[in-house]
Amino acid sequence: MSRLKPLSRRQKIVLAGAAVLVAVPVAAAITLLNMDWNRAKPWLNGRASEALGRPFAIAGDLSLTWQQPATAAGSKTWRDSLPWPHLQAQDVRLGNPDAMAQTDGEPAQLATVSQLAFSLNPLALLEKKIIIPELRFDTPQIRLLRSKDGRNNWTFEKQDQASPWQLELQSVVFSKGTVYLTDGVTQTAMRADVDTLADDKRYGIAWTLSGKYRGETVQGGGKAGSVLSLQRQGTPFPIQAEMRASGSSMAIEGTLTRPTDLAALDVRLKIAGPSMARLYPLTGVLLPETPHFSTEGHLTGTLAPGGGEWVYDQFSGKVGSSDVEGKLAFSASKPRKRLTGEVHSRLLQFVDLGPLVGADSSASKKERGVTSTQPAGRVLPVETFKTERWTSLDADVRYTADKITRDAELPISKLDTHVLLTDGVLSLTPLNFNVAGGTLTSQIKLDGSGKVIPNGIAAELKASARHLRIKQLFPRLPALQASVGEINGDASLSATGNSVATLLGSSNGEVRALINRGSISKLLLEEMGLNIGSIVVT
């Protein structure tokens, strides 16, 4: 029987060293797997708070498992073979920045999550980087706040160089939860309930919303992609939404093209309502009183602080019985917002212009949400202009109509006008019609800024009528009494008031008319008074 040869001292040292090399990582792994990770919460909370620039806390249990990182096939390196720590945290809270910690008595948290799960790149920690490839959270409660001075709690400002830690969040997966928005700028208090969608190839989450927007009761809902990519700018984020308020409705479908900044929207927009003016509480954009309308077009915009830039292009639809199409651009510029564009109608029903000056029927007023104040027996509209909104927007819009359908007593066929609104002063330069075979060219200035007439309008009118044919101007005259002559004239008027009735009632100025190659009779004079009066009302 042979005896084992005793190990030399050198061999013993080598074996002991090897045992230590094996024992250390094994002991470390056993320790990591069995240690109470809740003891690491103060360190994690501190590092995350530094990186985010606001309070972060894991108030519940914290556990850890080890997982292989997801990598593309054939692209693995030795680094990808290292398991990553995968943490699950209960009751996670993200606070507001210090400047908004107590905004109007609102809660101090931007978000609370019942359970949060994420993996960390362990090698990146050596470089003082917290890299989270995917963040998953359940039943979140998110409270978005914006104060009256424009400060908000959803903008993460870059931290001073004094903080050595950096956070890189690559993607976020949403699940069922609730989002609240309280905005002191637009007087908004909204709630959206979010839930996941199953078996939907395009959308992963859906929501319903309700509350107040610009002081109006709003309801709606929508869908969005399941994963919001925060790094891959080339991946559009699908979105679909609809909203209803004050009888008006808006619906969009398209993409959010820069989800990291929530900055660019590219959608189809459908919009309808009893009057364009009723959209003011929803959009903040001053639009004229109209009959019931509906349009659809391509909307692109940037969601910059203060409103951004928006273009509503290739839109078409109906305003009353008239068709409209064109392009409008909106800019939230300073000192006033600005609306520009061109609008065209192939066929304009003249009656659809009535709501512009309150000359529509009581039924029409009721439909567009305006109480009828027209006294019985009064022809001229007494509905007052809302000049207090004129200073909220500047406008530069061209409108043309190819053909006008109107009452036989109003021989007006074509319309061309350029609408300018600057600091509360509305100008129609020009406002031109084809009338009775001739032309009526005019320039109108309505100063509603309140600088000249408080709570009223100072109006100026300059008009020229050329080659108005008497036979077309007075179609009810018998053929034998109809003249073959023409009327040419000029007018220069000024007035003050706050409605069509008060403006015309206080007008002063000069009117000159010349009839060429015609005859005047008592019947023609009576007819002229009736017909020109109706045209003036128009």
Side-chain angles (χ1 to χ4, degrees), residues 271-276 279 290-297 312 315-326 343-349 352 399 405:
I271 188 167
S275 172
M276 290 186 184
L279 294 175
T290 67
H292 189 278
F293 75 97
S294 62
T295 67
E296 180 177 356
Y312 192 31
F315 71 82
S316 61
K318 288 279 189 179
V319 178
S321 299
S322 306
D323 66 275
V324 291
E325 60 185 14
V343 181
H344 176 72
S345 295
R346 292 185 296 272
L347 176 63
L348 170 65
Q349 296 283 351
D352 292 335
Y399 175 72
T405 302

Side-chain angles (χ1 to χ4, degrees), residues 61 87-92 112-117 135-140 175:
D61 186 63
L87 294 96
Q88 285 189 334
Q90 309 294 328
D91 191 9
V92 181
T112 58
V113 181
S114 62
Q115 178 176 294
L116 181 146
L135 176 65
R136 292 179 175 269
F137 51 89
D138 298 325
T139 57
S175 65

Side-chain angles (χ1 to χ4, degrees), residues 318-381:
K318 288 279 189 179
V319 178
S321 299
S322 306
D323 66 275
V324 291
E325 60 185 14
K327 175 181 178 180
L328 291 172
F330 172 80
S331 173
S333 56
K334 300 294 184 181
R336 289 172 298 279
K337 301 171 184 177
R338 183 169 177 81
L339 181 69
T340 60
E342 294 186 1
V343 181
H344 176 72
S345 295
R346 292 185 296 272
L347 176 63
L348 170 65
Q349 296 283 351
F350 208 80
V351 67
D352 292 335
L353 297 178
L356 287 171
V357 293
D360 52 336
S361 65
S362 296
S364 175
K365 288 183 172 68
K366 183 178 180 180
E367 182 181 7
R368 60 186 174 93
V370 175
T371 303
S372 178
T373 56
Q374 191 69 20
R378 295 286 297 275
V379 176
L380 298 177

Side-chain angles (χ1 to χ4, degrees), residues 354-359 365 368 373-375 378-388 390 444-448 453-460 494-507 536-537:
L356 287 171
V357 293
K365 288 183 172 68
R368 60 186 174 93
T373 56
Q374 191 69 20
R378 295 286 297 275
V379 176
L380 298 177
V382 299
E383 184 176 320
T384 58
F385 297 110
K386 295 181 175 62
T387 55
E388 67 275 8
W390 289 19
I444 297 177
K445 179 180 178 182
L446 305 174
D447 190 337
I453 304 295
N455 301 318
I457 293 174
E460 297 178 5
S494 62
T496 58
N498 59 1
S499 67
V500 172
T502 56
L503 286 173
L504 291 178
S506 64
S507 61
V536 169
V537 171

Side-chain angles (χ1 to χ4, degrees), residues 169-457:
L169 182 59
Q170 295 177 347
S171 65
V172 176
V173 178
F174 293 92
S175 65
K176 187 175 182 179
T178 308
V179 179
Y180 300 89
L181 171 62
T182 303
D183 188 355
V185 176
T186 58
Q187 299 179 354
T188 297
M190 299 286 292
R191 168 178 172 160
D193 294 302
V194 183
D195 202 352
T196 56
L197 293 174
D199 302 325
D200 193 314
K201 295 181 180 180
R202 180 171 176 81
Y203 300 105
I205 62 172
W207 71 85
T208 59
L209 60 86
S210 60
K212 294 280 187 178
Y213 181 68
R214 296 187 183 272
E216 295 287 332
T217 300
V218 174
Q219 291 183 327
K223 301 177 183 179
S226 58
V227 177
L228 175 58
S229 173
L230 298 177
Q231 296 295 328
R232 292 170 294 183
Q233 297 288 350
T235 303
F237 183 61
I239 186 170
Q240 181 188 63
E242 56 87 17
M243 189 162 57
R244 303 175 300 277
S246 302
S248 300
S249 64
M250 301 175 65
I252 62 171
E253 183 172 7
T255 59
L256 187 64
T257 56
R258 287 171 55 194
T260 299
D261 304 320
L262 297 178
L265 201 65
D266 188 340
V267 298
R268 293 291 299 178
L269 169 64
K270 295 181 181 180
I271 188 167
S275 172
M276 290 186 184
R278 301 288 82 75
L279 294 175
Y280 183 80
L282 292 178
T283 64
V285 179
L286 175 66
L287 294 171
E289 290 283 358
T290 67
H292 189 278
F293 75 97
S294 62
T295 67
E296 180 177 356
H298 181 209
L299 177 69
T300 56
T302 55
L303 304 173
E309 307 283 335
W310 298 88
V311 177
Y312 192 31
D313 195 12
Q314 300 176 0
F315 71 82
S316 61
K318 288 279 189 179
V319 178
S321 299
S322 306
D323 66 275
V324 291
E325 60 185 14
K327 175 181 178 180
L328 291 172
F330 172 80
S331 173
S333 56
K334 300 294 184 181
R336 289 172 298 279
K337 301 171 184 177
R338 183 169 177 81
L339 181 69
T340 60
E342 294 186 1
V343 181
H344 176 72
S345 295
R346 292 185 296 272
L347 176 63
L348 170 65
Q349 296 283 351
F350 208 80
V351 67
D352 292 335
L353 297 178
L356 287 171
V357 293
D360 52 336
S361 65
S362 296
S364 175
K365 288 183 172 68
K366 183 178 180 180
E367 182 181 7
R368 60 186 174 93
V370 175
T371 303
S372 178
T373 56
Q374 191 69 20
R378 295 286 297 275
V379 176
L380 298 177
V382 299
E383 184 176 320
T384 58
F385 297 110
K386 295 181 175 62
T387 55
E388 67 275 8
R389 297 179 178 176
W390 289 19
T391 55
S392 67
L393 177 79
D394 286 349
D396 184 346
V397 179
R398 188 69 180 262
Y399 175 72
T400 56
D402 293 337
K403 184 179 179 181
I404 298 178
T405 302
R406 80 291 177 189
D407 188 289
E409 295 183 8
L410 299 176
I412 302 174
S413 58
K414 194 173 183 180
L415 171 63
D416 180 4
T417 186
H418 188 185
V419 181
L420 295 172
L421 179 61
T422 305
D423 195 15
V425 179
L426 176 64
S427 301
L428 304 177
T429 54
L431 173 61
N432 296 341
F433 294 93
N434 284 3
V435 181
T439 59
L440 177 63
T441 61
S442 62
Q443 293 185 355
I444 297 177
K445 179 180 178 182
L446 305 174
D447 190 337
S449 64
K451 298 176 182 178
V452 179
I453 304 295
N455 301 318
I457 293 174

Side-chain angles (χ1 to χ4, degrees), residues 74-225:
S75 63
K76 285 190 175 182
T77 66
W78 68 270
R79 292 172 178 266
D80 301 319
S81 299
L82 295 176
W84 286 16
H86 182 77
L87 294 96
Q88 285 189 334
Q90 309 294 328
D91 191 9
V92 181
R93 304 171 185 178
L94 178 62
N96 290 324
D98 292 341
M100 299 192 68
Q102 298 295 331
T103 300
D104 297 330
E106 293 291 336
Q109 279 78 36
L110 165 62
T112 58
V113 181
S114 62
Q115 178 176 294
L116 181 146
F118 61 93
S119 295
L120 284 174
N121 184 339
L123 296 178
L125 294 175
L126 300 176
E127 301 175 1
K128 295 188 176 181
K129 292 182 179 179
I130 301 176
I131 298 180
I132 302 177
E134 183 178 86
L135 176 65
R136 292 179 175 269
F137 51 89
D138 298 325
T139 57
Q141 298 281 328
I142 302 174
R143 296 182 179 272
L144 304 176
L145 303 176
R146 184 165 66 164
S147 60
K148 294 180 181 180
D149 59 8
R151 292 178 294 119
N152 67 71
N153 68 343
W154 61 79
T155 299
F156 288 78
E157 299 179 357
K158 293 183 178 180
Q159 300 302 304
D160 297 333
Q161 296 299 323
S163 175
W165 289 89
Q166 298 178 11
L167 175 67
E168 183 180 325
L169 182 59
Q170 295 177 347
S171 65
V172 176
V173 178
F174 293 92
S175 65
K176 187 175 182 179
T178 308
V179 179
Y180 300 89
L181 171 62
T182 303
D183 188 355
V185 176
T186 58
Q187 299 179 354
T188 297
M190 299 286 292
R191 168 178 172 160
D193 294 302
V194 183
D195 202 352
T196 56
L197 293 174
D199 302 325
D200 193 314
K201 295 181 180 180
R202 180 171 176 81
Y203 300 105
I205 62 172
W207 71 85
T208 59
L209 60 86
S210 60
K212 294 280 187 178
Y213 181 68
R214 296 187 183 272
E216 295 287 332
T217 300
V218 174
Q219 291 183 327
K223 301 177 183 179

